[in-house]
Amino acid sequence: MLTCSQCGTPYKFGDTVCSKCGRVLLDTRSSTIALQVDPTLLRLRRDHVKTGGALHPEKSVTLLIRGMAERFIFEDGTEVILGRTDLMVAEPGHFDMTPYGGHDRGVSRNHALLRFTDDAITITDLSSSNGTFINTQRLPPTTPQQIKHGDEIMLGSLSMIIKFE
């Protein structure tokens, strides 16, 4: 049985608004909704931990996706999941590929993981349905692969170029 997440009132499949509280009802099994997120809010940082008076090293990474640039600042230990966002379970550290055609191009909800450790950025396929590729080479699932400036990354058939600054 379906119930409103705000007030708990039961509703039927296909209802769009709760009859008791007026909350918009979204069923993620039957629809996908694209969210537009301000890229400046995507500055992904861990808590600043000082070691000997210096901050952890950081790296600026730009993903060029279908003519648009998305910039990230990574500190050592930062992780970002590339995939499609589930509105009911929105998580920090998850970058939504839906606005770039991710759904139509075979991007899974949790497709790949970008990680910055030891002054290197790696990408790991998270056992996605349509695979992750670096320069046309398919990655084995759950095995981190280092990426370099200018590499072409494909999630399913969604292509992007990675640039380091």
Side-chain angles (χ1 to χ4, degrees), residues 17-57:
V17 178
C18 178
S19 61
K20 183 175 181 184
C21 68
R23 181 174 179 91
V24 175
L25 303 170
L26 296 174
D27 182 4
T28 57
R29 296 169 296 177
S30 63
S31 66
T32 301
I33 296 176
L35 291 177
Q36 183 64 37
V37 178
D38 182 356
T40 60
L41 298 176
L42 295 173
R43 188 174 170 98
L44 304 170
R45 304 184 67 85
R46 299 183 84 200
D47 292 335
H48 287 277
V49 179
K50 292 194 176 190
T51 53
L55 296 175
H56 288 292

Side-chain angles (χ1 to χ4, degrees), residues 48-153:
H48 287 277
V49 179
K50 292 194 176 190
T51 53
L55 296 175
H56 288 292
E58 62 179 40
K59 186 173 283 265
S60 176
V61 177
T62 301
L63 296 177
L64 301 175
I65 313 165
R66 301 189 73 204
M68 292 175 270
E70 293 293 346
R71 186 169 181 254
F72 299 91
I73 303 294
F74 285 91
E75 284 186 347
D76 193 33
T78 301
E79 297 179 343
V80 178
I81 294 175
L82 303 174
R84 293 182 295 115
T85 299
D86 182 351
L87 287 179
M88 302 305 269
V89 192
E91 298 177 21
H94 193 114
F95 184 70
D96 186 16
M97 305 302 290
T98 305
Y100 308 99
H103 187 266
D104 297 334
R105 288 177 171 74
V107 176
S108 298
R109 289 202 185 272
N110 294 308
H111 197 103
L113 175 72
L114 286 178
R115 178 181 292 141
F116 179 55
T117 54
D118 302 325
D119 203 31
I121 295 187
T122 60
I123 189 165
T124 306
D125 181 73
L126 299 175
S127 301
S128 62
S129 299
N130 296 308
T132 302
F133 302 80
I134 298 177
N135 301 322
T136 70
Q137 296 293 332
R138 188 176 185 133
L139 302 181
T142 69
T143 304
Q145 297 288 319
Q146 186 170 345
I147 50 180
K148 301 177 294 302
H149 178 80
D151 278 349
E152 178 187 24
I153 298 170

